[in-house]
């Protein structure tokens, strides 16, 4: 049974459904708690959504690589793209206490990553963005 | 994502089925905007069959709620699954959107 799953995604929003399927099937294979599967699905979705929306200046087809791996009780989700340099961890924390009228419309995706993952690391390597998110899998 | 629409008196009931993510949120946005532009002001969104929501879905709800606030309208939500409720909680959206366990109570809240 392989402990690592690698999937190549296109920069199209219809791929988000596939992200859900891939994480779910990885979760089933390794009997991960549904809460963990959902948290990882959501965070990978948010990161990939940002990449598709903002990383590319052209309209061309790009590949985004998703790697899921399990080591002991830690799941790592790595997302790699060849878009412009972007460290999502640089984004400011949204103010969640603002009333409806003043709530900004963006910034929540990165907030989810910060809240739901146990560790997040960003690296720029060989012209690519690499974001590694880690989540403890104990129920 | 599928959207089914029903009118309950003056309340528009939208039942969402499937996934509300960046790939599907535009469909809900279009529907809500066209209903608001047509004069509807009271909305219940039933999430009983909604399996997944991301920030792109929340963005559409926030946009519609802001629009409606200026028009004396509102959106309430019904039947959130636990993991969807958690997304609302983390986003601080539970304080913005009234939510009900049951669709009937959500519709009834407009009486």
């Amino acid at each position: 049974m392989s402990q690592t799953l690698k999937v190549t995604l296109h920069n199209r929003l219809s791929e988000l459904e596939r992200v859900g399927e891939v994480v779910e099937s990885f979760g089933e294979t390794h009997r991960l708690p549904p809460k963990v599967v959902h948290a990882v699905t959501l965070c990978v979705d948010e990161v990939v959504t940002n990449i598709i929306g903002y990383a590319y200046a052209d309209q061309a087809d790009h590949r985004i690589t998703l790697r899921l791996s399990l080591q002991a009780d830690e799941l790592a989700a790595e997302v790699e793209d060849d878009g412009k340099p972007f460290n999502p961890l640089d984004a400011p924390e949204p103010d969640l206490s603002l009333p409806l009228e003043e709530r900004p419309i963006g910034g929540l995706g990165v907030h989810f990553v910060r809240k739901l993952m146990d560790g997040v690391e960003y690296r720029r390597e060989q012209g690519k963005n690499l974001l590694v998110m880690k989540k403890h899998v104990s129920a | 994502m599928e959207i089914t629409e029903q009118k309950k008196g003056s309340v528009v009931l939208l039942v969402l089925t499937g996934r509300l993510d960046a790939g599907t949120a535009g469909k809900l946005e279009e529907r809500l905007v066209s209903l608001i532009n047509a004069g509807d002001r009271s909305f219940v969104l039933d999430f009983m069959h909604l399996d997944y929501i991301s920030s792109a879905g929340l963005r559409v709800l926030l946009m519609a709620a802001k629009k409606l606030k200026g028009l004396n309208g509102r959106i309430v939500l019904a039947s959130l699954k636990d993991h969807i409720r958690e997304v609302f909680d983390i986003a601080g959206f539970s304080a913005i959107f009234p939510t009900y366990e049951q669709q009937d109570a959500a519709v009834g809240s407009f009486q």
Side-chain angles (χ1 to χ4, degrees), chain A:
Chain A
M1 186 164 65
S2 169
Q3 298 290 101
T4 301
L5 180 65
K6 181 184 162 185
V7 181
T8 304
L9 304 163
H10 296 267
N11 55 327
R12 292 194 288 263
L13 291 173
S14 57
E15 292 282 75
L16 296 172
E17 187 167 356
R18 240 181 98 215
V19 166
E21 289 163 6
V22 165
V23 179
E24 201 137 298
S25 93
F26 188 83
E28 269 170 30
T29 303
H30 298 287
R31 299 172 188 277
L32 302 177
K35 230 178 143 68
V36 170
V37 172
H38 176 254
V40 172
T41 301
L42 180 62
C43 292
V44 172
D45 171 322
E46 298 290 354
V47 169
V48 171
T49 298
N50 273 341
I51 293 168
I52 295 172
Y54 305 110
Y56 308 110
D58 57 29
Q59 302 294 314
D61 183 39
H62 292 269
R63 304 294 152 94
I64 300 161
T65 306
L66 167 63
R67 272 183 230 95
L68 299 172
S69 59
L70 193 61
Q71 272 199 342
D73 69 339
E74 194 169 67
L75 190 160
E78 300 181 23
V79 182
E80 189 182 277
D81 70 88
D82 64 350
K84 62 185 175 203
F86 175 67
N87 180 357
L89 301 173
D90 288 342
E93 268 289 289
D95 183 349
L96 305 183
S97 65
L98 291 174
L100 170 63
E101 313 82 69
E102 295 164 35
R103 284 294 294 266
I105 225 112
L108 277 176
V110 178
H111 173 68
F112 290 156
V113 173
R114 285 198 179 103
K115 282 279 172 196
L116 290 169
M117 294 295 109
D118 296 309
V120 192
E121 250 177 72
Y122 168 82
R123 291 198 293 278
R124 180 80 184 172
E125 275 178 3
Q126 298 170 329
K128 293 188 170 181
N129 297 302
L130 180 66
L131 191 74
V132 182
M133 298 179 279
K134 292 188 171 164
K135 177 82 179 162
H136 301 307
V137 298
S138 42

